[in-house]
Amino acid sequence: MKGKGALWLWIGVLVVFLAGTSFVAYKLYMRQKTRAEAQRWEMTSVMKINRELSSDELERYLLVENEKLDRYEVLRPIVDELDLVTFWNLSSVDEALEKLKASAELRPGDEPGTIVFVASDKDKEMTGKLGEAIGKAYKAALLQEQLRMPTPPPGFQD
């Protein structure tokens, strides 16, 4: 009888040990999977601005410029060009536009008088495509805006 009791005890210990190691392995797997899903690639590009701004001015400037970056006219052609509805497996263009808005932003630069354009995505190759397409569209929108602004008469100075 003593032999059977000890055998059952060891079987119980083995079952508890295997269950514990399986649970720990599962938790580690889920943590790694979550990190992999959360990983985002970033493409950055440093841009100079005309002058150094105070922190308040820079904050307002970035707010205005990020609004320009998020405009429909800037982002909508990119949704079609890169076929983002299909690539991201979304159901509508509006969803793709919202995700695209979240994928690009302007941040303060490390050096005074600079800002950083950042594009990000989970897919490394798509990050590059997004960065290039959004950067081009944003710069084209800025150029178009400058062309619409009235020019001062010759000899005019501030």
Side-chain angles (χ1 to χ4, degrees):
M1 204 64 170
K2 279 187 173 180
K4 280 189 175 182
L7 178 64
W8 283 112
L9 178 64
W10 281 109
I11 289 174
V13 168
L14 183 62
V15 167
V16 169
F17 175 75
L18 290 175
T21 55
S22 296
F23 177 74
V24 170
Y26 172 75
K27 284 296 201 180
L28 290 174
Y29 166 75
M30 290 306 290
R31 183 181 300 158
Q32 182 182 8
K33 183 179 174 186
T34 304
R35 282 185 187 153
E37 289 174 356
Q39 181 181 7
R40 294 185 67 81
W41 294 92
E42 285 190 349
M43 181 205 142
T44 60
S45 175
V46 177
M47 300 186 310
K48 291 189 181 286
I49 49 180
N50 294 337
R51 61 187 177 97
E52 289 185 31
L53 303 172
S54 70
S55 60
D56 289 341
E57 290 174 322
L58 182 60
E59 189 177 322
R60 284 191 301 272
Y61 179 80
L62 287 173
L63 184 65
V64 169
E65 292 304 308
N66 274 309
E67 287 174 2
K68 289 178 187 177
L69 184 66
D70 289 345
R71 276 195 241 151
Y72 181 87
E73 301 84 37
V74 173
L75 299 181
R76 179 62 172 95
I78 297 167
V79 171
D80 291 334
E81 178 185 330
L82 299 177
D83 194 17
L84 295 177
V85 174
T86 304
F87 183 81
W88 285 331
N89 197 24
L90 301 173
S91 59
S92 71
V93 170
D94 291 335
E95 285 181 55
L97 282 169
E98 288 305 310
K99 188 165 181 172
L100 188 55
K101 284 180 186 180
S103 297
E105 71 174 324
L106 295 167
R107 299 176 186 165
D110 292 335
E111 300 290 322
T114 63
I115 58 175
V116 178
F117 166 71
V118 180
S120 64
D121 192 69
K122 290 179 181 179
D123 182 86
K124 186 177 183 178
E125 188 176 322
M126 181 54 76
T127 300
K129 290 178 183 179
L130 287 174
E132 187 177 316
I134 296 170
K136 268 190 205 174
Y138 172 68
K139 288 177 182 175
L142 289 180
L143 181 62
Q144 190 175 19
E145 185 178 288
Q146 288 173 350
L147 293 175
R148 275 191 250 135
M149 288 183 154
T151 56
F156 179 79
Q157 294 180 349
D158 286 330

Short mmCIF file of all heavy atoms in Angstrom, two decimals, residues 52-102:
data_model
loop_
_atom_site.label_atom_id
_atom_site.label_comp_id
_atom_site.label_asym_id
_atom_site.label_seq_id
_atom_site.Cartn_x
_atom_site.Cartn_y
_atom_site.Cartn_z
N GLU A 52 13.75 79.74 -35.19
CA GLU A 52 13.58 79.06 -33.91
C GLU A 52 12.32 79.60 -33.24
O GLU A 52 12.05 80.79 -33.29
CB GLU A 52 14.79 79.28 -33.01
CG GLU A 52 16.02 78.56 -33.48
CD GLU A 52 17.17 78.69 -32.51
OE1 GLU A 52 16.92 78.80 -31.30
OE2 GLU A 52 18.31 78.67 -32.97
N LEU A 53 11.56 78.70 -32.64
CA LEU A 53 10.32 79.08 -31.98
C LEU A 53 10.41 78.77 -30.49
O LEU A 53 11.09 77.83 -30.09
CB LEU A 53 9.14 78.31 -32.58
CG LEU A 53 8.92 78.45 -34.09
CD1 LEU A 53 7.83 77.47 -34.54
CD2 LEU A 53 8.52 79.87 -34.43
N SER A 54 9.70 79.56 -29.69
CA SER A 54 9.61 79.24 -28.27
C SER A 54 8.80 77.95 -28.14
O SER A 54 8.15 77.51 -29.08
CB SER A 54 8.95 80.38 -27.50
OG SER A 54 7.57 80.45 -27.83
N SER A 55 8.79 77.37 -26.95
CA SER A 55 8.06 76.11 -26.78
C SER A 55 6.57 76.29 -27.03
O SER A 55 5.93 75.42 -27.61
CB SER A 55 8.32 75.52 -25.40
OG SER A 55 7.90 76.40 -24.40
N ASP A 56 5.99 77.43 -26.62
CA ASP A 56 4.57 77.68 -26.87
C ASP A 56 4.29 77.87 -28.36
O ASP A 56 3.32 77.33 -28.89
CB ASP A 56 4.08 78.91 -26.11
CG ASP A 56 3.99 78.68 -24.61
OD1 ASP A 56 3.95 77.49 -24.21
OD2 ASP A 56 3.96 79.67 -23.86
N GLU A 57 5.16 78.63 -29.01
CA GLU A 57 5.00 78.85 -30.46
C GLU A 57 5.15 77.53 -31.22
O GLU A 57 4.40 77.26 -32.15
CB GLU A 57 6.04 79.85 -30.97
CG GLU A 57 5.83 81.27 -30.51
CD GLU A 57 6.97 82.17 -30.93
OE1 GLU A 57 8.14 81.74 -30.88
OE2 GLU A 57 6.69 83.33 -31.30
N LEU A 58 6.12 76.73 -30.81
CA LEU A 58 6.34 75.44 -31.46
C LEU A 58 5.14 74.52 -31.27
O LEU A 58 4.72 73.84 -32.21
CB LEU A 58 7.60 74.77 -30.92
CG LEU A 58 7.98 73.43 -31.55
CD1 LEU A 58 8.23 73.58 -33.06
CD2 LEU A 58 9.20 72.85 -30.87
N GLU A 59 4.56 74.52 -30.08
CA GLU A 59 3.38 73.70 -29.81
C GLU A 59 2.22 74.13 -30.72
O GLU A 59 1.55 73.28 -31.32
CB GLU A 59 2.99 73.85 -28.34
CG GLU A 59 1.91 72.89 -27.91
CD GLU A 59 1.61 73.01 -26.42
OE1 GLU A 59 2.55 73.20 -25.64
OE2 GLU A 59 0.43 72.92 -26.06
N ARG A 60 1.98 75.43 -30.83
CA ARG A 60 0.91 75.92 -31.71
C ARG A 60 1.21 75.61 -33.17
O ARG A 60 0.33 75.20 -33.93
CB ARG A 60 0.71 77.43 -31.52
CG ARG A 60 -0.03 77.80 -30.26
CD ARG A 60 -0.45 79.26 -30.25
NE ARG A 60 0.67 80.17 -30.35
CZ ARG A 60 1.38 80.63 -29.32
NH1 ARG A 60 1.08 80.27 -28.11
NH2 ARG A 60 2.38 81.47 -29.51
N TYR A 61 2.47 75.80 -33.57
CA TYR A 61 2.89 75.51 -34.93
C TYR A 61 2.64 74.05 -35.28
O TYR A 61 2.08 73.73 -36.33
CB TYR A 61 4.37 75.87 -35.11
CG TYR A 61 4.91 75.59 -36.48
CD1 TYR A 61 4.68 76.46 -37.54
CD2 TYR A 61 5.67 74.44 -36.73
CE1 TYR A 61 5.18 76.21 -38.80
CE2 TYR A 61 6.17 74.18 -37.98
CZ TYR A 61 5.92 75.06 -39.02
OH TYR A 61 6.41 74.81 -40.28
N LEU A 62 3.05 73.14 -34.39
CA LEU A 62 2.85 71.71 -34.64
C LEU A 62 1.38 71.35 -34.67
O LEU A 62 0.96 70.50 -35.46
CB LEU A 62 3.58 70.88 -33.58
CG LEU A 62 5.10 70.85 -33.71
CD1 LEU A 62 5.72 70.14 -32.53
CD2 LEU A 62 5.53 70.21 -35.02
N LEU A 63 0.57 71.97 -33.85
CA LEU A 63 -0.87 71.72 -33.86
C LEU A 63 -1.46 72.09 -35.22
O LEU A 63 -2.19 71.30 -35.83
CB LEU A 63 -1.55 72.52 -32.74
CG LEU A 63 -3.04 72.29 -32.56
CD1 LEU A 63 -3.31 70.86 -32.12
CD2 LEU A 63 -3.59 73.27 -31.54
N VAL A 64 -1.11 73.26 -35.72
CA VAL A 64 -1.61 73.72 -37.03
C VAL A 64 -1.09 72.82 -38.15
O VAL A 64 -1.85 72.40 -39.03
CB VAL A 64 -1.22 75.20 -37.28
CG1 VAL A 64 -1.48 75.61 -38.71
CG2 VAL A 64 -1.95 76.11 -36.31
N GLU A 65 0.20 72.49 -38.11
CA GLU A 65 0.79 71.68 -39.17
C GLU A 65 0.25 70.25 -39.15
O GLU A 65 0.06 69.65 -40.20
CB GLU A 65 2.32 71.69 -39.08
CG GLU A 65 2.94 73.03 -39.39
CD GLU A 65 2.55 73.58 -40.75
OE1 GLU A 65 2.70 72.87 -41.76
OE2 GLU A 65 2.10 74.74 -40.81
N ASN A 66 0.00 69.69 -37.97
CA ASN A 66 -0.59 68.35 -37.89
C ASN A 66 -2.01 68.36 -38.45
O ASN A 66 -2.46 67.38 -39.05
CB ASN A 66 -0.55 67.80 -36.47
CG ASN A 66 0.76 67.11 -36.15
OD1 ASN A 66 1.21 66.26 -36.90
ND2 ASN A 66 1.39 67.50 -35.07
N GLU A 67 -2.74 69.47 -38.25
CA GLU A 67 -4.07 69.58 -38.85
C GLU A 67 -3.97 69.61 -40.37
O GLU A 67 -4.78 69.01 -41.07
CB GLU A 67 -4.79 70.82 -38.33
CG GLU A 67 -5.26 70.68 -36.90
CD GLU A 67 -5.85 71.95 -36.32
OE1 GLU A 67 -5.95 72.97 -37.05
OE2 GLU A 67 -6.22 71.93 -35.14
N LYS A 68 -2.96 70.31 -40.89
CA LYS A 68 -2.74 70.32 -42.35
C LYS A 68 -2.39 68.93 -42.85
O LYS A 68 -2.86 68.49 -43.90
CB LYS A 68 -1.59 71.28 -42.71
CG LYS A 68 -1.92 72.73 -42.54
CD LYS A 68 -0.69 73.57 -42.88
CE LYS A 68 -0.91 75.03 -42.57
NZ LYS A 68 0.31 75.83 -42.84
N LEU A 69 -1.57 68.23 -42.08
CA LEU A 69 -1.14 66.89 -42.46
C LEU A 69 -2.33 65.92 -42.50
O LEU A 69 -2.38 65.03 -43.34
CB LEU A 69 -0.10 66.39 -41.45
CG LEU A 69 0.54 65.04 -41.68
CD1 LEU A 69 1.40 65.07 -42.94
CD2 LEU A 69 1.39 64.65 -40.49
N ASP A 70 -3.30 66.13 -41.62
CA ASP A 70 -4.47 65.23 -41.52
C ASP A 70 -5.61 65.60 -42.48
O ASP A 70 -6.65 64.96 -42.44
CB ASP A 70 -5.00 65.23 -40.09
CG ASP A 70 -4.09 64.51 -39.12
OD1 ASP A 70 -3.20 63.78 -39.59
OD2 ASP A 70 -4.26 64.68 -37.91
N ARG A 71 -5.42 66.59 -43.31
CA ARG A 71 -6.49 67.00 -44.22
C ARG A 71 -6.86 65.89 -45.20
O ARG A 71 -6.01 65.14 -45.67
CB ARG A 71 -6.08 68.23 -45.03
CG ARG A 71 -6.31 69.50 -44.30
CD ARG A 71 -6.23 70.66 -45.26
NE ARG A 71 -5.14 71.51 -44.80
CZ ARG A 71 -4.39 72.27 -45.57
NH1 ARG A 71 -4.59 72.30 -46.86
NH2 ARG A 71 -3.45 72.99 -45.07
N TYR A 72 -8.12 65.87 -45.54
CA TYR A 72 -8.67 64.91 -46.50
C TYR A 72 -7.92 65.00 -47.84
O TYR A 72 -7.56 63.99 -48.43
CB TYR A 72 -10.16 65.18 -46.69
CG TYR A 72 -10.86 64.25 -47.64
CD1 TYR A 72 -11.38 63.04 -47.19
CD2 TYR A 72 -11.00 64.57 -48.98
CE1 TYR A 72 -12.02 62.18 -48.06
CE2 TYR A 72 -11.64 63.71 -49.86
CZ TYR A 72 -12.15 62.52 -49.39
OH TYR A 72 -12.78 61.67 -50.26
N GLU A 73 -7.68 66.22 -48.29
CA GLU A 73 -7.03 66.42 -49.60
C GLU A 73 -5.62 65.84 -49.63
O GLU A 73 -5.12 65.45 -50.68
CB GLU A 73 -6.95 67.91 -49.96
CG GLU A 73 -8.26 68.64 -50.03
CD GLU A 73 -8.73 69.11 -48.65
OE1 GLU A 73 -7.91 69.52 -47.82
OE2 GLU A 73 -9.94 69.05 -48.41
N VAL A 74 -4.97 65.82 -48.48
CA VAL A 74 -3.61 65.29 -48.40
C VAL A 74 -3.63 63.76 -48.34
O VAL A 74 -2.89 63.08 -49.05
CB VAL A 74 -2.86 65.87 -47.17
CG1 VAL A 74 -1.51 65.19 -46.97
CG2 VAL A 74 -2.70 67.37 -47.30
N LEU A 75 -4.52 63.21 -47.50
CA LEU A 75 -4.48 61.77 -47.22
C LEU A 75 -5.33 60.91 -48.15
O LEU A 75 -5.00 59.75 -48.39
CB LEU A 75 -4.90 61.52 -45.77
CG LEU A 75 -4.02 62.16 -44.71
CD1 LEU A 75 -4.54 61.83 -43.32
CD2 LEU A 75 -2.57 61.75 -44.86
N ARG A 76 -6.42 61.43 -48.67
CA ARG A 76 -7.34 60.60 -49.47
C ARG A 76 -6.67 59.97 -50.69
O ARG A 76 -6.86 58.77 -50.94
CB ARG A 76 -8.57 61.42 -49.86
CG ARG A 76 -9.58 60.67 -50.73
CD ARG A 76 -10.13 59.46 -49.96
NE ARG A 76 -11.22 58.83 -50.65
CZ ARG A 76 -11.08 57.79 -51.47
NH1 ARG A 76 -9.90 57.29 -51.72
NH2 ARG A 76 -12.13 57.24 -52.04
N PRO A 77 -5.87 60.71 -51.45
CA PRO A 77 -5.21 60.06 -52.61
C PRO A 77 -4.27 58.93 -52.20
O PRO A 77 -4.10 57.96 -52.94
CB PRO A 77 -4.42 61.21 -53.26
CG PRO A 77 -5.07 62.45 -52.78
CD PRO A 77 -5.61 62.16 -51.43
N ILE A 78 -3.70 59.00 -51.01
CA ILE A 78 -2.78 57.97 -50.55
C ILE A 78 -3.52 56.67 -50.27
O ILE A 78 -3.01 55.58 -50.53
CB ILE A 78 -2.02 58.46 -49.30
CG1 ILE A 78 -1.16 59.67 -49.69
CG2 ILE A 78 -1.15 57.36 -48.71
CD1 ILE A 78 -0.61 60.44 -48.51
N VAL A 79 -4.75 56.78 -49.76
CA VAL A 79 -5.57 55.59 -49.50
C VAL A 79 -5.76 54.81 -50.80
O VAL A 79 -5.63 53.59 -50.81
CB VAL A 79 -6.93 55.98 -48.88
CG1 VAL A 79 -7.86 54.78 -48.81
CG2 VAL A 79 -6.74 56.57 -47.49
N ASP A 80 -6.04 55.52 -51.89
CA ASP A 80 -6.22 54.85 -53.18
C ASP A 80 -4.89 54.37 -53.76
O ASP A 80 -4.79 53.25 -54.25
CB ASP A 80 -6.90 55.80 -54.17
CG ASP A 80 -8.34 56.09 -53.80
OD1 ASP A 80 -8.96 55.24 -53.12
OD2 ASP A 80 -8.84 57.16 -54.17
N GLU A 81 -3.88 55.24 -53.71
CA GLU A 81 -2.58 54.92 -54.30
C GLU A 81 -1.98 53.65 -53.70
O GLU A 81 -1.45 52.80 -54.43
CB GLU A 81 -1.63 56.10 -54.08
CG GLU A 81 -0.24 55.90 -54.59
CD GLU A 81 0.68 57.07 -54.22
OE1 GLU A 81 0.19 58.21 -54.09
OE2 GLU A 81 1.88 56.82 -54.05
N LEU A 82 -2.07 53.51 -52.38
CA LEU A 82 -1.48 52.34 -51.71
C LEU A 82 -2.50 51.25 -51.42
O LEU A 82 -2.15 50.24 -50.82
CB LEU A 82 -0.79 52.78 -50.41
CG LEU A 82 0.35 53.78 -50.56
CD1 LEU A 82 0.90 54.19 -49.20
CD2 LEU A 82 1.46 53.21 -51.43
N ASP A 83 -3.73 51.46 -51.85
CA ASP A 83 -4.83 50.51 -51.63
C ASP A 83 -4.88 50.07 -50.16
O ASP A 83 -4.84 48.88 -49.83
CB ASP A 83 -4.68 49.30 -52.55
CG ASP A 83 -5.96 48.46 -52.61
OD1 ASP A 83 -7.03 48.97 -52.21
OD2 ASP A 83 -5.87 47.29 -53.02
N LEU A 84 -4.98 51.06 -49.28
CA LEU A 84 -4.89 50.80 -47.84
C LEU A 84 -6.10 50.07 -47.27
O LEU A 84 -5.97 49.35 -46.29
CB LEU A 84 -4.67 52.12 -47.10
CG LEU A 84 -3.34 52.80 -47.40
CD1 LEU A 84 -3.24 54.13 -46.67
CD2 LEU A 84 -2.17 51.90 -47.05
N VAL A 85 -7.27 50.24 -47.88
CA VAL A 85 -8.45 49.52 -47.39
C VAL A 85 -8.19 48.02 -47.48
O VAL A 85 -8.45 47.27 -46.53
CB VAL A 85 -9.71 49.93 -48.18
CG1 VAL A 85 -10.90 49.09 -47.77
CG2 VAL A 85 -10.02 51.41 -47.99
N THR A 86 -7.64 47.58 -48.59
CA THR A 86 -7.35 46.16 -48.77
C THR A 86 -6.15 45.73 -47.92
O THR A 86 -6.19 44.71 -47.25
CB THR A 86 -7.06 45.86 -50.25
OG1 THR A 86 -8.18 46.28 -51.03
CG2 THR A 86 -6.81 44.39 -50.48
N PHE A 87 -5.09 46.54 -47.94
CA PHE A 87 -3.87 46.17 -47.23
C PHE A 87 -4.13 46.01 -45.73
O PHE A 87 -3.62 45.08 -45.10
CB PHE A 87 -2.77 47.22 -47.45
CG PHE A 87 -1.47 46.86 -46.79
CD1 PHE A 87 -0.60 45.97 -47.39
CD2 PHE A 87 -1.14 47.39 -45.55
CE1 PHE A 87 0.60 45.62 -46.77
CE2 PHE A 87 0.05 47.05 -44.92
CZ PHE A 87 0.92 46.17 -45.54
N TRP A 88 -4.88 46.94 -45.15
CA TRP A 88 -5.17 46.88 -43.72
C TRP A 88 -6.41 46.05 -43.41
O TRP A 88 -6.83 45.97 -42.27
CB TRP A 88 -5.33 48.28 -43.15
CG TRP A 88 -4.03 49.03 -42.99
CD1 TRP A 88 -2.80 48.49 -42.75
CD2 TRP A 88 -3.84 50.44 -43.03
NE1 TRP A 88 -1.87 49.49 -42.63
CE2 TRP A 88 -2.48 50.70 -42.80
CE3 TRP A 88 -4.70 51.53 -43.23
CZ2 TRP A 88 -1.95 51.98 -42.77
CZ3 TRP A 88 -4.18 52.80 -43.20
CH2 TRP A 88 -2.81 53.02 -42.97
N ASN A 89 -7.03 45.49 -44.44
CA ASN A 89 -8.22 44.65 -44.27
C ASN A 89 -9.34 45.41 -43.54
O ASN A 89 -9.89 44.93 -42.55
CB ASN A 89 -7.86 43.35 -43.54
CG ASN A 89 -8.94 42.30 -43.71
OD1 ASN A 89 -9.70 42.32 -44.67
ND2 ASN A 89 -9.00 41.37 -42.77
N LEU A 90 -9.65 46.58 -44.06
CA LEU A 90 -10.70 47.43 -43.47
C LEU A 90 -11.93 47.39 -44.35
O LEU A 90 -11.90 46.94 -45.49
CB LEU A 90 -10.20 48.86 -43.32
CG LEU A 90 -8.94 49.02 -42.45
CD1 LEU A 90 -8.42 50.44 -42.51
CD2 LEU A 90 -9.23 48.63 -41.01
N SER A 91 -13.03 47.90 -43.82
CA SER A 91 -14.29 47.83 -44.57
C SER A 91 -14.64 49.11 -45.31
O SER A 91 -15.53 49.10 -46.14
CB SER A 91 -15.44 47.43 -43.63
OG SER A 91 -15.56 48.38 -42.60
N SER A 92 -13.95 50.23 -45.00
CA SER A 92 -14.30 51.48 -45.69
C SER A 92 -13.10 52.40 -45.82
O SER A 92 -12.10 52.26 -45.10
CB SER A 92 -15.42 52.20 -44.92
OG SER A 92 -14.91 52.73 -43.71
N VAL A 93 -13.24 53.35 -46.71
CA VAL A 93 -12.21 54.37 -46.91
C VAL A 93 -12.08 55.24 -45.67
O VAL A 93 -10.98 55.65 -45.29
CB VAL A 93 -12.55 55.22 -48.17
CG1 VAL A 93 -11.64 56.43 -48.26
CG2 VAL A 93 -12.46 54.37 -49.42
N ASP A 94 -13.21 55.53 -45.01
CA ASP A 94 -13.17 56.36 -43.80
C ASP A 94 -12.31 55.71 -42.71
O ASP A 94 -11.56 56.39 -42.02
CB ASP A 94 -14.58 56.62 -43.28
CG ASP A 94 -15.38 57.52 -44.20
OD1 ASP A 94 -14.75 58.31 -44.94
OD2 ASP A 94 -16.62 57.44 -44.17
N GLU A 95 -12.44 54.39 -42.55
CA GLU A 95 -11.60 53.68 -41.57
C GLU A 95 -10.12 53.80 -41.95
O GLU A 95 -9.27 54.00 -41.09
CB GLU A 95 -11.98 52.20 -41.51
CG GLU A 95 -13.26 51.90 -40.79
CD GLU A 95 -13.53 50.41 -40.76
OE1 GLU A 95 -12.66 49.65 -40.28
OE2 GLU A 95 -14.61 50.00 -41.22
N ALA A 96 -9.84 53.67 -43.24
CA ALA A 96 -8.46 53.78 -43.70
C ALA A 96 -7.92 55.19 -43.47
O ALA A 96 -6.76 55.35 -43.07
CB ALA A 96 -8.37 53.41 -45.18
N LEU A 97 -8.75 56.20 -43.69
CA LEU A 97 -8.33 57.59 -43.44
C LEU A 97 -8.00 57.80 -41.96
O LEU A 97 -7.00 58.44 -41.62
CB LEU A 97 -9.40 58.57 -43.89
CG LEU A 97 -9.47 58.82 -45.39
CD1 LEU A 97 -10.73 59.61 -45.74
CD2 LEU A 97 -8.24 59.57 -45.85
N GLU A 98 -8.84 57.27 -41.08
CA GLU A 98 -8.59 57.41 -39.64
C GLU A 98 -7.29 56.71 -39.23
O GLU A 98 -6.51 57.25 -38.45
CB GLU A 98 -9.77 56.88 -38.82
CG GLU A 98 -11.00 57.76 -38.87
CD GLU A 98 -10.73 59.19 -38.47
OE1 GLU A 98 -10.11 59.42 -37.40
OE2 GLU A 98 -11.12 60.11 -39.21
N LYS A 99 -7.08 55.52 -39.77
CA LYS A 99 -5.86 54.79 -39.44
C LYS A 99 -4.64 55.50 -40.02
O LYS A 99 -3.58 55.56 -39.38
CB LYS A 99 -5.94 53.36 -39.97
CG LYS A 99 -4.80 52.50 -39.50
CD LYS A 99 -5.06 51.03 -39.71
CE LYS A 99 -3.88 50.23 -39.18
NZ LYS A 99 -4.11 48.82 -39.18
N LEU A 100 -4.79 56.07 -41.20
CA LEU A 100 -3.70 56.81 -41.83
C LEU A 100 -3.36 58.06 -41.03
O LEU A 100 -2.19 58.40 -40.84
CB LEU A 100 -4.07 57.16 -43.27
CG LEU A 100 -3.00 57.75 -44.16
CD1 LEU A 100 -1.76 56.86 -44.20
CD2 LEU A 100 -3.55 57.96 -45.56
N LYS A 101 -4.39 58.75 -40.53
CA LYS A 101 -4.16 59.93 -39.68
C LYS A 101 -3.36 59.55 -38.44
O LYS A 101 -2.48 60.30 -38.01
CB LYS A 101 -5.49 60.55 -39.24
CG LYS A 101 -6.17 61.34 -40.31
CD LYS A 101 -7.48 61.91 -39.78
CE LYS A 101 -8.26 62.59 -40.87
NZ LYS A 101 -9.52 63.15 -40.38
N ALA A 102 -3.66 58.40 -37.88
CA ALA A 102 -2.95 57.94 -36.68
C ALA A 102 -1.53 57.47 -37.00
O ALA A 102 -0.71 57.34 -36.10
CB ALA A 102 -3.73 56.81 -36.01
#
